[in-house]
Amino acid sequence: MTKIASLFADPSTLSKDALEHGTTFAPKFDANGLVTAITIEEGTNNVLMVAFMDAQAIALTLETGFAHYFSRSRGKIWKKGESSGELQHVRQMRTDCDQDAIVLTVVQSGHGAACHTGRKSCFYRQISLVDGKPVLQDAGQPQLFDPKDVYKS
Amino acid sequence: MTKIASLFADPSTLSKDALEHGTTFAPKFDANGLVTAITIEEGTNNVLMVAFMDAQAIALTLETGFAHYFSRSRGKIWKKGESSGELQHVRQMRTDCDQDAIVLTVVQSGHGAACHTGRKSCFYRQISLVDGKPVLQDAGQPQLFDPKDVYKS
């Protein structure tokens, strides 16, 4: 995969105009070598999850068509679904104006659950003000799998 | 606004179960005091932009109903649209399983452009492999305003 990773341009070598309007893909990695990745469902555009990608995760995703991320907690590349079977088939990848974020449009396979809690989306709780105090309210997404069954150690 | 900010719980005081399944809003700020904010358009769910929020930006957003972010480049709170007039009316805020990201569902006012380039969304370029090399292709979003007219110094 380093074939592709080595082809990423260095954004510091590009003008602001080239970075924002050009055809050169030059992901602007943060101090930890990561860009933000937002994963949405094809068709509904529902936000499924937010994660991070390093150069290798981007390259593997482009090469294989399956979403790969970089796990900050585990410190390594992670093929989404490698434990749970909930693979993500990538239909489209887009980057933003300053190239420090990527939106992945995917078809979620397996049970259709992107979240490790078994829900389709990680964003299953709404933030509301109740008597001036922020509280979380479950938006009622069903659990599509039981994490205890899926993540056996 | 510190009234609300001071009401945010400290996620380190919560169990994993309470953090992921409870009703306590305990945003898990990174080392810079930020969470990732993904802003989507009400109705279409189009991803408009990705930014960051600190505690004060979250509090101001909850209190005022207008999206506020924290600008890392300028090092300060930023009310979206304060320069451009492209305000974002927040219809819903959700957080994710581990509470380190927020999805804002908004109605984009002004010209309807969330991006400083004048486009509705910052994600106006697709990443494609052409002859094994990643290149960006403009997805054809129209410019809804001319940045030169809007961002006069």
Side-chain angles (χ1 to χ4, degrees), chain B residues 11-25:
Chain B
S12 70
T13 65
L14 297 182
S15 68
K16 188 167 187 286
D17 189 61
L19 191 71
E20 295 190 347
H21 301 289
T23 59
T24 303
F25 182 45

Side-chain angles (χ1 to χ4, degrees), chain A residues 20 23 93 124-125 127 136, chain B residues 20 23 93 124 127 136:
Chain A
E20 296 190 346
T23 59
M93 290 174 73
Y124 51 83
R125 286 174 299 178
I127 308 165
L136 301 181
Chain B
E20 295 190 347
T23 59
M93 291 175 72
Y124 50 84
I127 309 165
L136 301 181

Side-chain angles (χ1 to χ4, degrees), chain A residues 33-109:
Chain A
L34 303 175
V35 293
T36 304
I38 302 99
T39 308
I40 65 174
E41 183 183 47
E42 189 182 42
T44 67
N45 288 340
N46 282 332
V47 178
L48 298 177
M49 55 182 279
V50 174
F52 293 90
M53 298 174 95
D54 65 355
Q56 195 178 8
I58 298 173
L60 281 166
T61 302
L62 283 166
E63 282 186 356
T64 66
F66 288 98
H68 289 69
Y69 304 101
F70 184 85
S71 168
R72 293 180 301 173
S73 57
R74 287 175 285 167
K76 63 170 194 165
I77 297 273
W78 153 57
K79 181 181 181 183
K80 173 68 185 171
E82 66 190 353
S83 303
S84 63
E86 306 291 311
L87 297 167
Q88 294 176 336
H89 304 260
V90 178
R91 299 297 196 211
Q92 191 189 56
M93 290 174 73
R94 286 177 290 154
T95 192
D96 66 343
C97 41
D98 60 356
Q99 302 202 38
D100 66 355
I102 290 174
V103 168
L104 303 167
T105 305
V106 306
V107 174
Q108 177 70 57
S109 67

